[in-house]
Amino acid sequence: MRNYYVIIGKNATCPQHGKEIVLNAKYRFTGNPNNDYEVCFSKATCPIVENPKLHEDEQNEEYKDLDCPVQNCPLLDDFPKMWDSRNPL
């Protein structure tokens, strides 16, 4: 399962806008023979940051007028580097 990924969501409150959001983290399965569910952090995304990248017809209205000036949001760095994908974050 070394080349497979899983997306795990985590609820958070945006420090800039005070909105409840779901951050998504992409984890890669490690191929650990002792734990088939072990995953390694790859990257995290925020719906407020990702929304403007979508085509206008595909954008979520809830985030349409929001902008994020934060370059390195601490919420996106607050994911464990290794995780058991059976467990919620």
Side-chain angles (χ1 to χ4, degrees):
M1 293 184 58
R2 189 170 299 254
N3 295 320
Y4 293 97
Y5 291 86
V6 64
I7 304 294
I8 303 174
K10 177 170 80 169
N11 294 325
T13 301
C14 173
Q16 288 293 315
H17 301 288
K19 292 186 78 64
E20 289 295 317
I21 56 174
V22 177
L23 301 173
N24 286 314
K26 183 177 182 180
Y27 280 87
R28 177 184 52 80
F29 283 91
T30 62
N32 179 350
N34 297 319
N35 182 353
D36 290 336
Y37 300 95
E38 182 180 77
V39 291
C40 178
F41 179 77
S42 181
K43 71 176 189 172
T45 58
C46 168
I48 295 173
V49 174
E50 296 300 314
N51 200 54
K53 298 176 184 177
L54 299 173
H55 187 274
E56 190 173 320
D57 295 339
E58 297 174 347
Q59 291 181 4
N60 185 321
E61 289 293 325
E62 184 178 359
Y63 308 121
K64 207 163 196 169
D65 296 325
L66 299 180
D67 183 29
C68 184
V70 179
Q71 291 291 324
N72 296 311
C73 180
L75 294 179
L76 295 177
D77 292 330
D78 190 31
F79 285 88
K81 299 303 177 203
M82 299 295 281
W83 194 251
D84 186 313
S85 62
R86 296 172 289 190
N87 300 327
L89 289 173

